[in-house]
Amino acid sequence: MRILVTGGAGYIGSVVTEELINAGHQAVVYDNLSYGHREAVHPSAAFVKGDLLDTETLQGVLREHAIEAVMHTAAFALVGESVTHPAKYYQNNLVGGLSLLNAMRECGVKRLVFSSTCATYGEPAKVPIDESLPNNPTNPYGESKLAFERALKWFEGAYGLRYASLRYFNAAGATERCGEMHDPETHLIPLVLQTAAGVREEVQIFGDDYPTRDGTCVRDYIHIVDLARAHILALGILDERSAWLHGARSDRHGARDHRSGNQDPHSASSSRRSCSADCQFREDKTRAGLGTKASGSASHHSIRVELVAEESARIRGMICSSRPQSYNSYGHHLPLAGHRV
Ligand SMILES: NC(=O)c1ccc[n+]([C@@H]2O[C@H](COP(=O)([O-])OP(=O)(O)OC[C@H]3O[C@@H](n4cnc5c(N)ncnc54)[C@H](O)[C@@H]3O)[C@@H](O)[C@H]2O)c1
């Protein structure tokens, strides 16, 4: 199939592109490089530098490449920034998304897989979260993604769009070719690894008074390769139906704050109340819907921040002894690259 990947120069889009190409598809990457990297675009993919808001250019690309489906991963995704600058998030994630939908409608492209987020749920009424829970975002990032999801439903009814919306939480990991390289860095795993590697002095953990066992947030993680393959599997069901699907869980961590007085290279900061305390999924519907389970590329273990202190030496050793394929295509060591929600 000929597939447009919006945001294909970013972390998730670049790996989705790689997996599409591995699966025998033709990929065209559409990215304005506001956060992405030209080097991250797979060499077998065509690349167009363009903005979601530029409907005309999008239409030209859809027609020129006879695109049959779109993987929509382009968005702004910094939760904190979305609170201080909501206009930026609505403009890019919602207005930009509508521009894409209009271009698709104009060109008769009817399949879309959307990289959504479980931030649509906000503070969940229960965990693990399942698809029946109400959406109630607690920040403009989640709101902007949910608003776009809602438009999808109406475009389906009126224009015959088929879509899948993947509401996953934190992606982590890398392929041999590509990994994470975000600026600024806000995600826990790369921050922990940077700290263990001595690049950072400490890890900040937001909040120690959440209503969880140890007062810190609990989050699910999914390996980037599992996630990319889930996008492709979701595309495969679109001829039958549209779907909302959770991120298939492949990992989980609890972030625990050890108070001062020990050698832990982390500090507690006030919590970000735009983030929920506990966000874990029930993944059975996703697995059933996609007809699969996690690829096994991810290791199934809990990651706790306390490990930073206990195992930093060991982690450092691992990083130092890594072989060259642990470096991404930009020549950076993969675990040191950035990552955002
Ligand atoms: N990274 C995660 O853990 C995570 C978790 C849940 C959901 N998501 C969602 O996945 C998607 C991708 O996340 P990511 O981590 O790869 O982010 P990223 O910043 O690495 O990638 C986004 C890409 O989109 C591009 N882009 C942004 N706005 C654009 C525009 N208007 N026109 C063209 N290109 C534009 C950027 O240049 C960048 O290359 C986002 O939609 C995000 O909401 C990510």
Side-chain angles (χ1 to χ4, degrees):
M1 206 180 275
R2 292 176 299 278
I3 298 165
L4 184 78
V5 184
T6 71
Y11 173 42
I12 290 166
S14 61
V15 178
V16 167
T17 305
E18 184 176 343
E19 287 298 316
L20 281 171
I21 286 165
N22 290 345
H25 296 285
Q26 290 173 39
V28 178
V29 166
Y30 188 86
D31 198 299
N32 64 4
L33 300 182
S34 54
Y35 283 100
H37 309 273
R38 180 63 183 88
E39 320 86 275
V41 177
H42 196 285
S44 300
F47 174 66
V48 179
K49 185 176 177 194
D51 198 289
L52 286 176
L53 291 160
D54 185 350
T55 318
E56 224 170 273
T57 300
L58 273 170
Q59 283 178 19
V61 173
L62 294 174
R63 287 206 178 96
E64 185 191 337
H65 294 274
I67 294 296
E68 298 165 278
V70 175
M71 299 279 189
H72 182 33
T73 75
F76 293 151
L78 290 166
V79 170
E81 184 187 56
S82 81
V83 175
T84 53
H85 201 349
K88 178 175 172 181
Y89 280 71
Y90 277 97
Q91 179 71 3
N92 202 50
N93 298 356
L94 178 58
V95 181
L98 290 175
S99 163
L100 172 67
L101 291 186
N102 285 328
M104 289 173 64
R105 183 164 60 90
E106 198 61 42
C107 299
V109 180
K110 291 191 185 293
R111 297 184 190 94
L112 177 97
V113 177
F114 176 45
S115 279
S116 188
T117 167
C118 80
T120 60
Y121 291 106
E123 194 68 58
K126 66 176 169 85
V127 284
I129 302 168
D130 64 45
E131 286 85 350
S132 68
L133 289 190
N135 287 289
N136 190 16
T138 50
N139 54 65
Y141 164 66
E143 288 279 10
S144 66
K145 303 287 276 193
L146 181 60
F148 180 73
E149 275 197 7
R150 288 189 165 135
L152 292 176
K153 185 184 78 172
W154 297 106
F155 274 62
E156 178 187 34
Y159 310 123
L161 176 75
R162 289 288 179 88
Y163 67 93
S165 195
L166 301 177
R167 290 178 185 153
Y168 52 91
F169 212 90
N170 297 283
T175 67
E176 288 196 1
R177 200 192 81 82
C178 240
E180 308 167 37
M181 191 162 78
H182 286 120
D183 184 17
E185 170 62 81
T186 62
H187 271 193
L188 182 64
I189 289 179
L191 290 174
V192 166
L193 290 169
Q194 286 181 0
T195 308
V199 174
R200 282 176 186 267
E201 288 203 347
E202 62 176 21
V203 180
Q204 277 190 334
I205 299 172
F206 293 102
D208 58 0
D209 60 346
Y210 283 103
T212 57
R213 190 169 57 86
D214 63 7
T216 65
C217 297
V218 178
R219 292 287 182 269
D220 268 347
Y221 279 82
I222 180 166
H223 193 276
I224 186 70
V225 172
D226 289 335
L227 182 60
R229 290 179 186 166
H231 279 69
I232 297 171
L233 289 166
L235 178 64
I237 65 171
L238 289 190
D239 285 333
E240 297 156 36
R241 64 182 192 280
S242 293
W244 275 283
L245 297 167
H246 281 317
R249 175 161 61 209
S250 56
D251 242 0
R252 178 187 304 180
H253 83 272
R256 195 171 93 181
D257 177 18
H258 274 186
R259 305 310 316 193
S260 55
N262 58 28
Q263 297 303 307
D264 288 4
H266 79 269
S267 66
S269 307
S270 59
S271 60
R272 297 184 295 189
R273 284 310 181 206
S274 52
C275 295
S276 57
D278 192 342
C279 230
Q280 302 175 52
F281 298 117
R282 280 181 64 105
E283 73 271 40
D284 27 347
K285 185 177 167 194
T286 302
R287 291 199 193 289
L290 297 181
T292 188
K293 53 185 184 163
S295 69
S297 48
S299 53
H300 291 244
H301 56 257
S302 294
I303 299 170
R304 287 184 174 277
V305 169
E306 62 202 286
L307 289 179
V308 174
E310 291 160 10
E311 301 206 358
S312 59
R314 193 177 66 79
I315 295 170
R316 251 187 219 117
M318 279 165 50
I319 290 172
C320 292
S321 63
S322 297
R323 292 198 303 272
Q325 65 260 32
S326 298
Y327 291 80
N328 66 15
S329 58
Y330 329 120
H332 288 74
H333 203 294
L334 289 170
L336 305 187
H339 191 171
R340 293 166 295 127
V341 174

